[in-house]
Amino acid sequence: MTNKRSTYQLKGVDALFGLTPDSPDTDASQAEPVQVELGQIRVSEQPRRYFAPEKEEDLIQSIKQYGILQPILVRPQGEGLYELVAGERRYRAAIAAGLKQVPVLVRFLSDVEVLEVALLENLQREDLNPIEETEGILRLLELRLTEPQTTIMKWFNQAAHPERESVDNVIHREKWQQLVGIFEALGKFTPESFRTNRLPLLKMPEDVKAVLRQGQLEYTKARAIATVKQADVRSELLDEAISQGLSLSQIKEKIAAYRLQNHSAKTRSLKQEFDAAYSEVKKSEVWKDPTKQKKLRKLLKDLQALVEEESPA
């Protein structure tokens, strides 16, 4: 360990909570890391859902060789037990590496603070997938602003249209300024870049979301594939993009080719329908029915107008 500050340095946590060992409101907590038996730590639900197996194995090997370099954050539960707040990957890897004890920082935190710190730690990770990152930021905004996600999403949409009068009522609100401050503390997005680059991910089809959650595809590629409405075509394209390592331009080319082919197929189908309908009309008695002849003349007139629209001037 080098110094107090380096043992637990999460930018978002420092900015939003001041949970550094130097903070005056941590008198009841352990300022320095302490060794705790792994069996004394309990793991509650964490915001991170997917852990890449290869990265897990790398961490396990690193811990076997060097030990845990950054302490795990916990809060006391009584009777010598602790609840894991941040550092689930290190905790899991420590178990797999065969460690009996791990260094921890003990903090007395409320239930809301526990979830916020866990979210913030995950949001600072380089390998957090964009879906989890987006959901994590929205959850953090809900907790910090004490507003439902639907209200926060409405604010994003209103702030995106400065020409509307309602935007003044949004961007000058105290909670909107708090929202801006949260993004500044996270240091990854502005409210506008989050709205345009991250919120659209939540509307993606579930199969695309699943691929993103597992870190199998970059989000720019996933966003392109998500525009394909047909589930079977989209699934096939996802498989090809992953197995063949397709670039974004290659994916877009495949999507364009599919849409062109699909358009041609629809055009051919319409012509076939017309030929079939024309054949049926010729065989019918519609020609002899005075009441239907008027409708037939109107249809013919409309068809002639369509043909003239297609003719060159």
Side-chain angles (χ1 to χ4, degrees):
M1 306 297 170
T2 55
N3 55 52
K4 291 182 180 180
R5 188 75 175 174
S6 64
T7 57
Y8 180 52
Q9 191 173 24
L10 296 177
K11 176 183 176 183
V13 173
D14 290 345
L16 293 176
F17 294 99
L19 291 176
T20 61
D22 307 333
S23 178
D25 60 356
T26 58
D27 294 339
S29 305
Q30 294 288 342
E32 291 284 359
V34 296
Q35 292 292 324
V36 168
E37 298 285 337
L38 278 169
Q40 295 177 259
I41 300 175
R42 300 289 182 264
V43 180
S44 58
E45 182 179 355
Q46 297 286 306
R48 189 173 178 85
R49 303 183 187 93
Y50 177 77
F51 296 91
E54 64 278 6
K55 293 184 181 294
E56 284 278 274
E57 184 58 32
D58 289 344
L59 182 57
I60 292 169
Q61 295 306 316
S62 174
I63 287 176
K64 285 182 177 179
Q65 185 173 0
Y66 303 108
I68 293 184
L69 302 179
Q70 184 182 21
I72 293 169
L73 184 64
V74 300
R75 69 171 176 173
Q77 284 192 318
E79 301 181 356
L81 299 178
Y82 301 90
E83 179 185 1
L84 186 144
V85 176
E88 185 181 3
R89 289 180 72 246
R90 279 164 279 155
Y91 170 81
R92 289 158 52 107
I95 294 175
L99 270 60
K100 301 299 182 184
Q101 294 183 329
V102 291
V104 303
L105 283 170
V106 183
R107 294 286 182 266
F108 286 85
L109 304 169
S110 68
D111 291 342
V112 171
E113 286 174 332
V114 166
L115 181 53
E116 289 178 332
V117 173
L119 284 168
L120 283 164
E121 189 206 34
N122 281 325
L123 291 174
Q124 297 303 317
R125 297 197 59 80
E126 293 290 336
D127 61 345
L128 188 67
N129 72 65
I131 288 290
E132 288 182 336
E133 182 178 58
T134 303
E135 292 172 340
I137 290 176
L138 286 174
R139 181 62 178 137
L140 179 64
L141 292 174
E142 283 184 306
L143 292 169
R144 295 295 290 177
L145 302 175
T146 61
E147 294 284 354
Q149 190 176 128
T150 51
T151 298
I152 295 171
M153 297 286 274
K154 182 179 179 181
W155 291 349
F156 277 116
N157 292 330
Q158 289 176 334
H161 298 283
E163 73 281 1
R164 299 177 184 173
E165 293 182 2
S166 60
V167 71
D168 289 334
N169 298 326
V170 175
I171 63 176
H172 293 135
R173 286 177 185 168
E174 181 181 351
K175 286 198 173 182
W176 178 259
Q177 297 306 315
Q178 292 176 10
L179 179 147
V180 173
I182 292 170
F183 277 102
E184 289 176 349
L186 290 174
K188 287 195 169 187
F189 304 97
T190 64
E192 177 61 15
S193 66
F194 181 73
R195 182 188 71 81
T196 57
N197 297 322
R198 281 293 188 262
L199 290 183
L201 301 180
L202 302 179
K203 298 179 181 180
M204 287 183 173
E206 290 302 319
D207 54 351
V208 181
K209 284 184 183 179
V211 167
L212 272 177
R213 288 188 192 282
Q214 296 171 11
Q216 295 180 292
L217 201 64
E218 295 90 337
Y219 87 95
T220 51
K221 298 178 182 179
R223 284 183 66 173
I225 295 176
T227 62
V228 178
K229 303 302 181 184
Q230 288 73 10
D232 56 338
V233 177
R234 188 173 62 244
S235 177
E236 182 179 347
L237 187 53
L238 280 171
D239 290 340
E240 289 182 7
I242 295 169
S243 62
Q244 300 176 24
L246 298 180
S247 66
L248 179 59
S249 60
Q250 289 174 319
I251 290 173
K252 289 182 177 180
E253 287 174 3
K254 284 182 173 290
I255 293 174
Y258 159 72
R259 286 175 175 162
L260 179 60
Q261 181 181 6
N262 191 47
H263 176 73
S264 299
K266 287 182 178 179
T267 302
R268 289 195 300 272
S269 177
L270 183 60
K271 185 177 184 303
Q272 290 171 354
E273 289 178 13
F274 178 85
D275 289 342
Y278 175 66
S279 178
E280 290 297 321
V281 169
K282 286 178 66 177
K283 296 176 184 177
S284 72
E285 298 294 318
V286 67
W287 313 99
K288 301 178 182 179
D289 188 337
T291 60
K292 293 181 180 179
Q293 286 178 3
K294 185 177 180 180
K295 293 182 180 180
L296 184 59
R297 290 184 184 280
K298 184 179 184 306
L299 287 173
L300 288 172
K301 185 177 180 181
D302 290 340
L303 285 172
Q304 184 62 36
L306 283 174
V307 172
E308 289 175 355
E309 286 179 5
E310 292 297 318
S311 300

